[in-house]
Amino acid sequence: MEMTFRPVEEPAVEPIGKLGGEPVWLDEPCWPVHPGSAEPLDFIGQFPIPGEPGEERRWAYRFLSYDDYETGGTDPEDGEAVLLIQPGGRAPGFAAIGPAGPKPVAALTTSNP
């Protein structure tokens, strides 16, 4: 497989390999949240998973906690970094998943002191 990068003028609506933006879900939206704070993890990108000819295409969706961008976290199963697979995949047991929808509501709400 080969991936090339190019800027886009409009958000993707079909599944393509990409970095940033919003995920293009193949199944029900499944947004991971930080297990301690319940803040939505940041979507990093989605990538095609190689398969056998004729098999249904699957996608990997990568999410990270903003606080761990630099260090990557210390424990691969602490829930601050999550890789989801669709279709037919399942969330890893250590992942905390927010409510269904494009992004959990907590991420869209701000409070003023």
Side-chain angles (χ1 to χ4, degrees):
M1 296 183 79
E2 183 177 311
M3 183 180 281
T4 57
F5 295 96
R6 61 181 168 76
V8 296
E9 295 181 22
E10 295 182 17
V13 294
E14 297 293 324
I16 59 168
K18 67 181 196 139
L19 297 171
E22 297 290 321
V24 178
W25 300 102
L26 297 180
D27 285 344
E28 184 73 24
C30 184
W31 206 292
V33 297
H34 190 282
S37 69
E39 287 295 315
L41 299 184
D42 293 299
F43 174 67
I44 302 302
Q46 63 189 46
F47 311 93
I49 299 174
E52 297 296 322
E55 285 185 337
E56 181 177 25
R57 174 60 60 103
R58 295 177 65 173
W59 291 86
Y61 301 84
R62 182 66 165 164
F63 295 84
L64 292 175
S65 170
Y66 177 75
D67 293 336
D68 290 325
Y69 279 178
E70 191 171 318
T71 64
T74 57
D75 182 353
E77 294 188 357
D78 65 3
E80 295 178 0
V82 175
L83 182 73
L84 301 175
I85 307 295
Q86 285 190 356
R90 56 183 161 70
F94 60 82
I97 304 300
K103 191 168 187 178
V105 174
L108 304 175
T109 304
T110 59
S111 61
N112 294 324

